Amino acid sequence: MDEQPSSEPEAGLPTDAADLAAHLARVRAHRAELAESLHAVDDALASDAQGAAWAERLETALAELGHDLRDHVEITEGDQGLYALVRRDSPRLATPVERLVTEHARHRAQVDGLLAALEHDDVDSDLPALRAEVTALLAQLRLHRQRGRDLVHEAYDIDLGGSG
């Protein structure tokens, strides 16, 4: 016997236009926080501080980015998250959703690795490599944010706004 898809709404997911608008407003607010964290890491990289002061500023900014990235994963991947909503409303976008989920795991591991390096290593020993790694991470995160914006636009014809 084939099971028919349930016509009941999934628990906690928006069921009408007003609910969707409120849900996406929360996503937008979080995107703004994540953008601020990205800017803080950029600012730390560009800082004139040297040695331990520079490393401490970068570590603080990366820790905040890590926190916001964990929140982002919760908001997007949770049972009531954005990706569950997209999967329900636009099943054809399951592959792009899975790509974003895979990127989350990679980005979180990169941030954790950078924080560990800053905490335990002599930053001055390979400063150019560290800067390059952080710069590459920021570029990847900006591309990830663009893919997320594109996903929402494709699913709902709604622009989340924001840069990078």
Side-chain angles (χ1 to χ4, degrees):
M1 174 192 248
D2 290 337
E3 287 188 31
Q4 296 296 316
S6 173
S7 61
E8 295 178 28
E10 294 180 46
L13 291 178
T15 57
D16 61 24
D19 286 347
L20 176 62
H23 192 81
L24 291 176
R26 288 189 297 275
V27 170
R28 276 189 192 97
H30 174 71
R31 285 178 59 81
E33 290 175 22
L34 192 55
E36 287 176 19
S37 292
L38 290 170
H39 291 302
V41 174
D42 263 337
D43 290 346
L45 278 177
S47 170
D48 288 336
Q50 297 180 7
W54 180 83
E56 186 176 325
R57 182 172 178 190
L58 181 59
E59 185 176 357
T60 299
L62 279 170
E64 182 62 27
L65 177 61
H67 173 77
D68 286 346
L69 193 53
R70 280 187 297 280
D71 287 350
H72 171 74
V73 169
E74 223 174 89
I75 288 168
T76 56
E77 291 185 24
D79 291 340
Q80 298 176 18
L82 179 62
Y83 297 164
L85 184 62
V86 170
R87 283 183 186 113
R88 180 196 71 191
D89 296 341
S90 298
R92 66 188 169 79
L93 297 175
T95 299
V97 166
E98 289 311 312
R99 179 180 184 179
L100 292 169
V101 168
T102 299
E103 289 175 2
H104 286 164
R106 185 177 67 244
H107 297 323
R108 289 177 69 183
Q110 288 173 301
V111 170
D112 291 345
L114 288 165
L115 285 168
L118 284 165
E119 189 174 304
H120 299 295
D121 293 342
D122 176 16
V123 174
D124 291 330
S125 66
D126 202 359
L127 188 59
L130 178 65
R131 282 183 189 269
E133 191 173 347
V134 174
T135 300
L137 171 64
L138 292 177
Q140 292 168 19
L141 286 168
R142 286 189 172 100
L143 182 58
H144 176 83
R145 286 170 45 85
Q146 178 64 51
R147 286 186 188 116
R149 257 195 324 266
D150 292 348
L151 179 79
V152 170
H153 188 268
E154 183 135 354
Y156 301 105
D157 199 25
I158 294 173
D159 186 4
L160 284 177
S163 62

